[in-house]
Amino acid sequence: MKFIHTADWHLGKLVHGVYMTEEQKEVLYQFVNIVEEEKPDAVVIAGDLYDRSVPPTGAVELLNEMLFKINVELKTPIVAISGNHDSAERLSFGSSWFQHSQFYLKGKVDDQFSPVRINGVNFYCVPYAEPGIVRQLLGDDSIHSHQDAMKALIGKIEKEINHREVNVFVGHAFVLGGKTSESERTLSVGGSGCVGAELFAPFHYTALGHLHSPDAIKHETVRYSGSLLKYSFSEAKQRKSISIVTIDEKGVFSIEEKVLKPKRDMRIIEGTMEELLDPVRIQSEQTEDYLKVTLLDRGAIVDPMGKLRQAYPNVLHLERQLDVIDERKKESYGMKREEKKSELDLFADFYYQMTTDSFTAEKRKVMERVIQEALLEVNQK
Amino acid sequence: MKFIHTADWHLGKLVHGVYMTEEQKEVLYQFVNIVEEEKPDAVVIAGDLYDRSVPPTGAVELLNEMLFKINVELKTPIVAISGNHDSAERLSFGSSWFQHSQFYLKGKVDDQFSPVRINGVNFYCVPYAEPGIVRQLLGDDSIHSHQDAMKALIGKIEKEINHREVNVFVGHAFVLGGKTSESERTLSVGGSGCVGAELFAPFHYTALGHLHSPDAIKHETVRYSGSLLKYSFSEAKQRKSISIVTIDEKGVFSIEEKVLKPKRDMRIIEGTMEELLDPVRIQSEQTEDYLKVTLLDRGAIVDPMGKLRQAYPNVLHLERQLDVIDERKKESYGMKREEKKSELDLFADFYYQMTTDSFTAEKRKVMERVIQEALLEVNQK
């Protein structure tokens, strides 16, 4: 039995104001080609098919097209659940019809704990759900955290599970030990969003979604496939792939990762304006990539973004070296230093972050006066 | 061949701030019962399944449930198109899968003009589309109005149609001669939203959606089924029904209307506060209905809505007799009289419309002062 484990497609995603739809279409076509070549027994999508509960119509059409190619044209069963970015109710529409062609889409968590059975393997599907929903569903007032909720749900599954068969869990959760990146929206406040990997012990393989790196957790049987694309610059160094899982009748499996290559990579580069605009460097660069640029110049530069975009049209974010130095300061002085910053310094930080312009002595003077006036007014009240 | 013609479900509709979901569920259950009893060969839904492009999740779940009952549980083919209130793209999701169980859902207008064939009858489905979309689709720059667009689309159909077979058109349009009500959003500015009934001559029966009354147009073969429910007080006197169409192999048909009864009717009542709160009257009233009340009292009444709702909990709109008199004045004096109104009178009108409270002499004085001050200020500038 061979299945493809993927997750976190985030169709309709905006990164720094740019829709990723074209990139997503590109890698999904690669994905469909892999399905065509590999002829897996199933494709498992572990949540966050969309980036938001009401995705743009282009994303709806793209998902429809891709799933139709995989499921109907290539006759490949699909097992999919909703993630925290999906609307469970909206994603569920039509799912009762989809089953006919072995497309098993579980949007809402419910009290049906029977697995989807494909080629002798049982897939237990648990879509993302807030602890409150699971508390209500199971009528168990002791459920408060994601850990409680997952434990209770797996407890229900354990009552039915046949341990002599091969059992795979499909879920969308923040499993303990994972690293987070900017684009993984925090599931819950505090530590209660985490779920311990030990809960998944009853399963031969656990196909997770939510964290965007395939290396997010080091565990023998509990795995993230990682997202389809890099969705933030904090993921710039992650490889993006899908996992081809081959599992035997005893539940012993091997993994092969297939890398997906978007038209434009997402990278961080740095240098002075002169270095970055050097024709020799430009020639060797993939200038169309989505870039975060750290400018190392110290002086004032007029319209740095405009200049850079003439050579690198898809610069999405620009930082000045000054910010970097500040970051280093923060680290060496620690948080106490941070707390003692004057209003003027705090504003200067804010100004750098917002504008990437230089906060000149002249600007500093103006701001100093504004702050003094404001403080005076506050003290008079 | 027998099919049910229905349209304008408007799931997710809000009327005066109240969701109609419960009423819709109630009449849809009656509808499913009719399908079960009548065993039609098809159910035709001529657009506006939802009330808006992004309907509330409760509406999405209700539509899913009802269509599943009809199509899968009762094994009844469904032919449905999108209307101007639906999002063609969102409604289309999954439609390729639905066809397997003879659920033919056409969200977007396209260049496929072949009909859906059920029991020897051809259903030509044309979802609602703006003229610009059709202009682009057909590459015909002469298309500017809905009339142009429909003519061009039917022209394409006519190239393929077999007139020896029975042909039914399913569309969503404002066909000339129809009466409009408040809840039918205007399709287009000016007269270009209208489509002439003569265009549908090639079809034995034309199943329309958009206008909410089954009497909207008097035509032998071009018909509106009317909406599922009354969706505005301007529809208070319309009957709401579905049409059971029995059509023979020559295309000769007969219609039977089945009335749908919501839990709460939508009605307009009038009287003085005393008359309306008379226990004898209350006993004979369906007090739970959605009501528009015209109060005939002339004097001031404190919290008239609060008083009425104690007896009639679902009063949605309240008008004072004063408004009615004003309306009459307007009509008899014409618009010129209106233009000469003083600021104070204009405000008094506004006050009546907004509050239904009496605009007392005391309030009048306060407002007089405010207006004088304001005029003074304006003149000084």
Side-chain angles (χ1 to χ4, degrees):
Chain A
M1 159 64 153
K2 180 165 81 173
F3 65 89
I4 294 180
H5 169 196
T6 176
D8 296 277
W9 288 10
H10 289 273
L11 302 188
K13 176 83 180 175
L14 267 171
V15 179
H16 290 269
V18 177
Y19 273 111
M20 292 290 119
T21 317
E22 276 310 303
E23 318 303 311
Q24 289 169 329
K25 192 175 250 176
E26 169 68 27
V27 295
L28 281 175
Y29 274 110
Q30 294 172 20
F31 183 76
V32 169
N33 285 340
I34 295 173
V35 173
E36 198 167 4
E37 284 164 21
E38 291 286 334
K39 297 180 180 45
D41 299 293
V43 166
V44 175
I45 315 171
D48 283 357
L49 286 82
Y50 291 125
D51 190 57
R52 16 182 174 141
S53 58
V54 179
T57 54
V60 174
E61 293 183 298
L62 181 59
L63 185 67
N64 187 72
E65 182 192 348
M66 291 302 151
L67 296 180
F68 188 76
K69 276 184 194 294
I70 295 167
N71 180 239
V72 178
E73 292 181 8
L74 299 176
K75 294 184 175 47
T76 311
I78 297 176
V79 177
I81 60 169
S82 69
N84 56 313
H85 283 252
D86 300 304
S87 158
E89 294 86 0
R90 292 182 199 283
L91 195 64
S92 297
F93 187 89
S95 53
S96 332
W97 282 270
F98 302 153
Q99 291 188 20
H100 184 89
S101 57
Q102 289 195 288
F103 170 15
Y104 307 97
L105 174 61
K106 192 149 185 171
K108 283 173 85 170
V109 69
D110 60 23
D111 55 2
Q112 300 301 307
F113 300 105
S114 51
V116 168
R117 202 174 159 81
I118 300 170
N119 275 14
V121 172
N122 302 313
F123 291 89
Y124 289 91
C125 300
V126 174
Y128 173 78
E130 291 290 335
I133 300 282
V134 180
R135 180 166 63 237
Q136 207 173 9
L137 177 74
L138 304 181
D140 178 349
D141 287 341
S142 73
I143 294 173
H144 294 287
S145 64
H146 279 276
Q147 170 81 6
D148 299 339
M150 190 62 87
K151 197 173 175 182
L153 290 167
I154 292 178
K156 293 281 180 188
I157 290 172
E158 281 206 272
K159 285 186 183 162
E160 300 198 10
I161 206 166
N162 180 344
H163 289 288
R164 277 167 302 182
E165 294 178 346
V166 177
N167 299 303
V168 171
F169 187 90
V170 182
H172 190 91
F174 186 171
V175 175
L176 215 68
K179 311 171 199 166
T180 52
S181 81
E182 283 166 21
S183 66
E184 295 140 8
R185 199 181 290 168
T186 308
L187 284 175
S188 197
V189 182
S192 66
C194 298
V195 166
E198 74 284 354
L199 291 183
F200 305 101
F203 307 97
H204 293 98
Y205 182 86
T206 294
L208 290 176
H210 184 56
L211 299 184
H212 287 190
S213 165
D215 302 320
I217 177 171
K218 295 283 172 215
H219 193 282
E220 263 185 47
T221 60
V222 181
R223 289 191 72 252
Y224 286 97
S225 62
S227 59
L228 201 62
L229 284 175
K230 297 176 184 176
Y231 286 126
S232 80
F233 286 105
S234 65
E235 301 174 30
K237 289 189 174 163
Q238 293 176 6
R239 68 187 184 287
K240 296 299 174 181
S241 59
I242 53 157
S243 296
I244 302 174
V245 184
T246 309
I247 194 162
D248 70 14
E249 58 282 0
K250 286 178 180 163
V252 179
F253 66 85
S254 64
I255 306 276
E256 185 195 351
E257 283 185 16
K258 288 250 179 185
V259 172
L260 300 173
K261 283 193 182 154
K263 266 196 298 201
R264 303 182 186 91
D265 197 5
M266 190 174 276
R267 295 184 297 117
I268 303 173
I269 61 171
E270 63 169 41
T272 61
M273 189 62 91
E274 201 187 331
E275 289 163 2
L276 292 170
L277 297 183
D278 180 352
V280 178
R281 170 158 188 169
I282 289 171
Q283 263 198 329
S284 67
E285 276 276 8
Q286 295 292 325
T287 53
E288 298 286 320
D289 284 353
Y290 292 118
L291 298 175
K292 171 173 157 181
V293 177
T294 306
L295 264 188
L296 298 180
D297 303 81
R298 281 169 178 273
I301 299 173
V302 179
D303 188 21
M305 189 60 117
K307 286 191 174 115
L308 282 169
R309 282 198 174 151
Q310 285 185 356
Y312 307 91
N314 299 309
V315 175
L316 296 184
H317 190 63
L318 180 57
E319 274 185 4
R320 297 297 303 270
Q321 192 202 23
L322 299 156
D323 310 11
V324 180
I325 289 173
D326 262 8
E327 287 297 318
R328 282 184 210 141
K329 260 194 208 163
K330 253 188 254 170
E331 278 168 29
S332 58
Y333 288 94
M335 283 307 286
K336 281 195 181 155
R337 173 78 190 81
E338 184 81 353
E339 282 163 18
K340 281 181 196 157
K341 269 189 180 170
S342 70
E343 279 80 5
L344 191 61
D345 285 345
L346 283 170
F347 181 81
D349 287 359
F350 176 72
Y351 189 85
Y352 288 137
Q353 278 171 37
M354 290 296 112
T355 67
T356 71
D357 260 14
S358 182
F359 191 54
T360 58
E362 197 186 346
K363 289 175 187 172
R364 204 175 172 89
K365 262 190 196 160
V366 173
M367 203 55 214
E368 210 163 4
R369 204 170 54 237
V370 171
I371 290 171
Q372 274 174 354
E373 281 170 15
L375 286 175
L376 208 67
E377 207 169 290
V378 168
N379 291 336
Q380 281 170 344
K381 272 182 187 164
Chain B
M1 160 65 152
K2 179 166 80 174
F3 65 89
I4 294 180
H5 169 197
T6 175
D8 296 278
W9 289 10
H10 288 274
L11 302 189
K13 175 84 180 173
L14 267 171
V15 179
H16 290 270
V18 176
Y19 273 111
M20 291 291 118
T21 316
E22 277 310 303
E23 318 304 310
Q24 289 169 329
K25 191 176 249 175
E26 168 69 27
V27 294
L28 282 174
Y29 274 111
Q30 292 172 21
F31 183 76
V32 169
N33 284 340
I34 294 172
V35 173
E36 198 167 4
E37 283 164 22
E38 292 285 335
K39 297 181 182 45
D41 299 294
V43 165
V44 174
I45 315 172
D48 284 356
L49 286 82
Y50 291 126
D51 190 57
R52 13 182 176 143
S53 59
V54 179
T57 54
V60 174
E61 293 184 298
L62 181 59
L63 185 66
N64 187 70
E65 182 192 347
M66 292 302 151
L67 296 180
F68 188 76
K69 274 183 196 295
I70 295 167
N71 181 238
V72 179
E73 292 181 9
L74 299 176
K75 295 185 174 48
T76 312
I78 297 176
V79 177
I81 59 169
S82 69
N84 56 313
H85 283 252
D86 300 304
S87 158
E89 295 87 358
R90 292 182 200 284
L91 195 64
S92 297
F93 187 90
S95 52
S96 334
W97 281 270
F98 301 154
Q99 291 189 20
H100 184 89
S101 56
Q102 289 195 285
F103 169 16
Y104 307 97
L105 174 61
K106 193 148 184 172
K108 281 172 86 169
V109 70
D110 60 23
D111 55 2
Q112 300 302 306
F113 300 105
S114 51
V116 168
R117 202 173 159 82
I118 300 171
N119 274 16
V121 172
N122 302 314
F123 291 90
Y124 288 90
C125 300
V126 174
Y128 173 79
E130 291 291 336
I133 300 282
V134 180
R135 181 168 60 238
Q136 206 174 10
L137 176 74
L138 303 182
D140 178 348
D141 287 342
S142 73
I143 294 173
H144 294 288
S145 64
H146 279 276
Q147 169 82 5
D148 299 338
M150 189 64 87
K151 197 174 175 181
L153 290 168
I154 292 177
K156 294 282 181 187
I157 290 171
E158 281 206 272
K159 287 188 182 161
E160 302 197 7
I161 206 166
N162 181 343
H163 289 289
R164 276 167 301 182
E165 293 178 346
V166 178
N167 299 303
V168 171
F169 186 89
V170 182
H172 191 91
F174 187 171
V175 175
L176 214 68
K179 311 171 197 166
T180 51
S181 82
E182 284 166 22
S183 67
E184 294 141 9
R185 199 181 290 167
T186 309
L187 284 176
S188 198
V189 182
S192 67
C194 299
V195 167
E198 74 284 355
L199 292 183
F200 304 101
F203 307 97
H204 293 98
Y205 182 87
T206 293
L208 290 176
H210 185 56
L211 299 184
H212 287 189
S213 164
D215 303 319
I217 176 171
K218 295 281 172 217
H219 194 281
E220 263 184 48
T221 61
V222 181
R223 288 191 72 252
Y224 285 98
S225 63
S227 60
L228 201 62
L229 284 176
K230 296 175 184 176
Y231 285 127
S232 79
F233 286 105
S234 65
E235 300 174 28
K237 289 188 176 166
Q238 293 176 6
R239 68 187 185 286
K240 295 300 173 181
S241 58
I242 53 158
S243 297
I244 302 174
V245 183
T246 309
I247 195 162
D248 69 15
E249 60 281 1
K250 286 180 182 164
V252 179
F253 65 86
S254 64
I255 305 275
E256 184 195 353
E257 283 185 17
K258 287 250 179 184
V259 172
L260 300 172
K261 283 193 182 156
K263 266 196 299 199
R264 302 182 187 91
D265 197 4
M266 190 173 277
R267 294 185 297 118
I268 303 173
I269 59 172
E270 64 169 39
T272 61
M273 189 63 90
E274 202 187 331
E275 289 163 2
L276 293 168
L277 297 183
D278 179 353
V280 178
R281 170 157 187 169
I282 290 171
Q283 263 198 329
S284 68
E285 276 275 10
Q286 294 292 325
T287 53
E288 297 287 319
D289 284 353
Y290 292 118
L291 298 175
K292 171 173 157 181
V293 177
T294 305
L295 264 188
L296 299 180
D297 304 81
R298 281 170 178 273
I301 300 173
V302 179
D303 188 21
M305 190 60 118
K307 284 189 177 118
L308 282 168
R309 282 197 174 153
Q310 284 185 357
Y312 307 91
N314 299 309
V315 175
L316 296 183
H317 189 63
L318 180 57
E319 275 184 4
R320 298 296 304 271
Q321 192 201 24
L322 299 158
D323 308 13
V324 179
I325 289 172
D326 262 8
E327 287 297 318
R328 280 182 212 144
K329 262 193 206 161
K330 254 187 254 171
E331 279 167 30
S332 58
Y333 287 93
M335 284 306 287
K336 281 195 183 159
R337 172 78 190 83
E338 184 82 353
E339 280 163 20
K340 281 183 196 158
K341 268 187 182 173
S342 70
E343 279 81 6
L344 192 61
D345 284 344
L346 283 170
F347 181 81
D349 287 358
F350 176 71
Y351 189 85
Y352 289 137
Q353 277 171 37
M354 290 296 112
T355 67
T356 71
D357 261 15
S358 181
F359 191 53
T360 58
E362 198 186 346
K363 289 175 186 170
R364 203 174 172 88
K365 261 190 197 161
V366 173
M367 205 53 216
E368 209 163 4
R369 204 171 53 236
V370 170
I371 289 171
Q372 273 174 356
E373 282 170 15
L375 287 175
L376 208 67
E377 207 168 290
V378 168
N379 292 334
Q380 282 171 345
K381 271 182 188 165

